[in-house]
Amino acid sequence: MTLTHSGTPEDFVPASQPELSRFLSENATSAHQQIFPVGGRTSLSVCCPDSHSGTLVCMSQLHRVVDYPVRDMTITVEAGMRLDQLNEIVSAEGQRLPIDVPQSNRATIGGVIATNTSGPRRFSYGTIRDYVIGISAVDGAGNLFKSGGRVVKNVAGYDLGKMLVGSLGTLAVISQVSLNLRPKPECMQLVWFEFSSCESVDQALEAIVTSGTRPTAVEYCNSKAARQIVAESRIELPMENHVVCICYEGPEKVVKWQAQQIIEEWRSFSPLSVQIIEGTHAARLYHAFVEYQTSSDDPVTLKAMLLPSQMMSFIETATRLNIAIQAHAADGIVYGHLPDSASSLEDVNQILEQLTTGIDSRTGYLTIYQCESDWSESLPLFCSPPAGWELMRQLKQALDPQQLLNSPRFAKLVKH
Amino acid sequence: MVDPANQTSHLSAPVLEELERGSGPFSSLIQQLTQIVGKKALLYDADELLVYECDGYIVDKSAPDIVVFPTSTEQVSSIVKICNQFNVPFLARGAGTSLSGGCLPIGGGVMIVLTRMKQILEINLRDRYAVVEPGMVNLHLTNALKGTGYHYAPDPSSQGSCTIGGNIATNSGGPHTLKYGVTTNHVLGLEAVLPDGSIINLGGPTAETPGYDLHGVYVGNEGTFGICTKAIVRLTRDPEAHRTMLAVFHTISDATRAISEIIAAGIIPSALEMMDQGIIQAIEEAFHFGFPLDAGAVLLIEVDGLDIALDEEVRQIVDICNSHNVREIQRADTPEERQLIWKSRKQAFGAIGRLSPSYCTQDGVVPRTRLPEILEFIEATSEKYGMRIVNVFHAGDGNVHPILLFDERDQDQIQQVLEASEEILSKCLELGGSVTGEHGIGVEKINFMSRIFNETDLSQMEKVRNIFNPRQICSRDKVLPPHQTDLQASVTQSHPGRRAPH
């Protein structure tokens, strides 16, 4: 069986947490099969796993609401619940989980936590780590454990939820989660700015630091990415240059005021064009931004984590290399889709080398976010080692002593 | 140095006995520590050590054998390595404002006080972070940022004295937690000296770093994972404007229902603090703010953000309060009036001295909608024990701070305080909450851990702790209940009593 397989009778589909726990316990004591936990299978290629034999643990049947005390603005759900299902339930109460998730009709909350998925809204709302108040999971030996609880403020014990966020299923299989929720805003508008150069973009982004407005999101895309995002949104927008798209959310009066205010503030940076997008168009365009990070068919997707002040020089280099770039610009998170012309490992490595040169290794990281499985063995996952690596290795050893949980992925983490 | 064969076991008593004054190892230890920090940065006189025998939690006391004041990460690392060499337990302390015994040196040992490591190493507004040393007083960072348009959001009530390192150890909250979150939401990365003396970096100044979120696990470890020597903290935009008001209610239940409805209406106030009748009377007697003495509860409500947004939020809040029988709403129209309203909240604890010679503050949490039940229970507990209990707390996030008033000269009352606290915290758990919202487990609530978590949960936490602190030589016997077979070093029991809650 391979990880990219769409499901076979050999997949294990637990109907309850105890069943999941029993299965992993039995596997640890007898079968010693590699376990690949999967949710909506939307992120199987994140961090470049290869095809490996083992058992898929499909969380699709663990999708129930355990508890939803509406007025406490918290919800406890099983990890296999799909994001659209979750949003539908809380939206009916005027609430939301303000995390952007591509393919939210398929993605599960457990998968979002395991992959630490985020999108444009992270600038003002943070990431999923800021919303997990309690978590249950099963480790490689079958131990079902929890940390945190169901109240928004709680410091009893260590915050094991944090260690599972972004752990890619290598430490434990997330089975249940309690989340903090936020009120749903009344209105959203986007302001689409087109600039002629990276330099003017950089100046405008620097001005965000002192802007009189409070954006929900600040997105950048170069013309190559803009063309695809615009095509996906089906809105006519200028896209031949550098684009910065600012999002505002809140009461209508406040959103409209901010959109006008940012146009006024950025006049001095001489944008080539400005356009306010509202209503259903705004929703469609925003959706296109959220989907873009995983929508590419390109052979390799990069993810860079940079200081915002150092981001545009990286983007300038990447654009020169014909890489399509989308960035959560105020956070310094950059996604780059390599061009089709990068058709060999040598090409890709050459591009990586050029990109890495421009990164301050003390404060920035370049990672392979997704790539074709044929190449995953040969590409470095991190272009510089993450801090605290030895502790990460020990953590994996402590929770999964037999290295049964998604270990090929963990091996990728090692190979930096 | 660390003996791998000895991992996961507690330090043995004979090792600690070697620390007795006058013994060869003790003198040698002093000599080596002096070489690192100099004579003026070392205390080992019994009288001077008394200052460090407890923090804000004064029920249990245990003096360290040596107190040392390093000024750099390298010094901390060297001190820790020497403690390992002598097999002597050690722990870090900041300003000592912890309220659960987080920096209680159980069984003695070396206390590493970080108050001389208090520099701001970097402020980077463009990238929205600051790098500070752990002994930096929280308020001093805020003051240093004044005028920049940015601030460090976590603001415990003790922010005038508590340190950033201590805030990280306990994952501190504060009045503005409801909107801005707790410390863990604002720590991007850190440098720490691990219990073997090695120096590590976790996370970093970027919004995200690859691999496991170890700095996230580190925040809230209560000093058991090593010693934080540098913190990279996120800076937050200052709100353009505030609207602050005091809503006076006939009854607590009206006030708590109003709280629920405000949040259900989609408004997240930046602060939502409740004071009950008992505390109102104390404040009024002490400071004469003009609160009606017969009011059931007063809510301090503050919203912040863009000026253009706030009047509508205030209108909605006033409507909601009116629909819950509010008696009157006072609004602060000037910065001075806002300061006065906040003064009433922040001086609440100063006023308690007028009510009672001693008091004990608890730190339970319940889901916000269960506030009426826990408050009723607290009132019933007050009646049951014939003990006055007043309440001032962060109502928006369900974190209650019942203050039990008593006379520490009366042994029966001390026992009653302990029993009443136990009952209140147990009720918090029964209502789906927790026994600590911001003060931590420390040594105070360690017995509750096995009621909140089962053996497997605790075992997983222990595994994580053992990765950082395999010999438990650092900040021993905190957070996780010790195994029955382990040595439990003795502490001296004193009297219940606390300072102001966060």
Side-chain angles (χ1 to χ4, degrees), chain A residues 72 122-123 129-130 139 145-146 153-155 158 170 209 211-212 214 258 303 308-309 330 363 382 387 410, chain B residues 127-128 150 184-185 201 206 208 210 212-213 224 237-238 306 367-369 394 399 434 436 438 457 460:
Chain A
D72 291 325
R122 59 175 297 153
F123 176 56
R129 82 194 284 278
D130 300 307
D139 73 8
F145 67 94
K146 69 173 187 296
K153 204 169 174 191
N154 182 10
V155 292
Y158 302 133
T170 61
V209 171
S211 169
R214 299 294 186 270
Q258 293 190 93
K303 182 178 178 183
S309 60
T363 54
F382 302 130
F410 185 72
Chain B
D127 298 319
R128 307 199 317 274
Y150 280 78
T184 192
N185 306 117
N201 288 285
T206 47
E208 209 174 289
Y212 299 148
D213 182 358
T224 60
R237 281 298 298 275
D238 291 344
L306 291 173
R368 193 164 39 230
T369 49
H394 315 307
N399 188 190
S434 176
T436 173
E438 54 190 2
D457 305 333
Q460 300 295 62

Side-chain angles (χ1 to χ4, degrees), chain A residues 5 8 17 19 21 23 30 41 90 123 162 169 176 195 227 231 245 249 288 301 329 359 403:
Chain A
H5 201 284
T8 73
Q17 291 189 99
E19 199 174 288
S21 174
F23 177 79
S30 54
R41 305 178 197 223
V90 301
F123 176 56
K162 293 282 187 297
Q176 187 173 299
F195 289 97
R227 280 196 287 276
C245 187
E249 290 182 319
T301 301
I359 293 180
Q403 308 288 307

Side-chain angles (χ1 to χ4, degrees), chain A residues 27 42 59 103 140 204 288 296 300-301 321 325 332 375 379 382 397:
Chain A
N27 181 60
T42 60
M59 299 298 286
Q103 302 177 70
S296 167
V300 178
T301 301
L321 294 166
I325 292 285
W375 292 358
L379 290 174
F382 302 130
Q397 181 64 31

